[in-house]
Amino acid sequence: MTLTTIEYGSLASSETLNNNFSYLDDKITDSNESITSSISSILSNIATINSRITELSTSLGSSLTTLDTKVEGYRVKTKSLVAKAVMVPDWASCTSITLSSSVAYTAGNNGYILIIPAASSTGNIVINNKTIPFKNMTFYYDASAQLVSIPVLKNDSVLCSAEISNSYFLPAKQVSVENF
């Protein structure tokens, strides 16, 4: 059914008017149903989007917590690496020590053993039960006595079978990384 055109100034029958009103009423009802259906679809999509945003937010929060934990772990590991790998001498804390072939010196911190051997001596150094040649004399006139620096880590055990004029422990400074 379609609208029936009523010309200006003519008399329209009640049937024509009623048919036109019925047609318009049907069109309004169809449009209303279509709009209501569209609104329902939009509301459903909004609910789905809200649900997905909530899921993503929860997932993102969990991922951030995991990432924070990993970053904190790497921060601690990096600080530990810097503390173990960097050995900047702390000259103000250099102290005299005794080295012998029978009583081991145990390093209290990371640092350096500084040794001035007796000019005419020969011998080895033993660090953590590993023997290393220290001072040899291949000629009688080879009587050098230079300062020797040996890096050690905390708890390293050091023995020396050469006669020692002087020996020192030079600790490494504690290196800190500000705000890390």
Side-chain angles (χ1 to χ4, degrees):
M1 175 179 184
T2 61
L3 280 178
T4 304
T5 304
I6 303 171
E7 295 193 21
Y8 180 74
S10 66
L11 293 179
S13 69
S14 58
E15 179 184 355
T16 302
L17 288 176
N18 286 336
N19 286 341
N20 281 347
F21 288 134
S22 289
Y23 175 80
L24 291 174
D25 186 44
D26 289 344
K27 284 294 185 186
I28 291 171
T29 301
D30 289 348
S31 295
N32 187 32
E33 287 174 2
S34 175
I35 290 171
T36 301
S37 175
S38 293
I39 289 173
S40 293
S41 176
I42 290 170
L43 290 176
S44 175
N45 287 341
I46 289 173
T48 301
I49 289 169
N50 283 338
S51 174
R52 187 66 183 133
I53 287 173
T54 301
E55 289 173 14
L56 289 173
S57 176
T58 302
S59 175
L60 183 61
S62 176
S63 295
L64 286 175
T65 301
T66 302
L67 183 61
D68 283 346
T69 302
K70 286 182 180 179
V71 167
E72 178 61 21
Y74 287 133
R75 184 183 71 81
V76 169
K77 287 178 184 178
T78 301
K79 285 178 78 172
S80 177
L81 175 66
V82 167
K84 288 181 180 177
V86 175
M87 291 191 23
V88 177
D90 185 3
W91 289 102
S93 299
C94 187
T95 57
S96 182
I97 61 170
T98 301
L99 285 179
S100 73
S101 61
S102 59
V103 178
Y105 172 78
T106 302
N109 291 306
N110 293 349
Y112 302 89
I113 302 286
L114 304 177
I115 303 171
I116 300 174
S120 60
S121 71
T122 62
N124 298 320
I125 282 203
V126 179
I127 300 177
N128 297 332
N129 297 317
K130 175 72 176 175
T131 302
I132 301 163
F134 173 62
K135 182 142 183 340
N136 294 325
M137 283 188 64
T138 47
F139 298 106
Y140 175 73
Y141 296 106
D142 184 14
S144 64
Q146 288 87 18
L147 175 68
V148 176
S149 171
I150 301 169
V152 291
L153 293 176
K154 182 178 181 175
N155 297 322
D156 278 353
S157 170
V158 181
L159 296 165
C160 184
S161 62
E163 185 181 339
I164 303 294
S165 292
N166 298 88
S167 57
Y168 305 91
F169 178 70
L170 175 60
K173 285 187 178 189
Q174 295 298 319
V175 177
S176 67
V177 180
E178 297 298 322
N179 299 321
F180 186 65

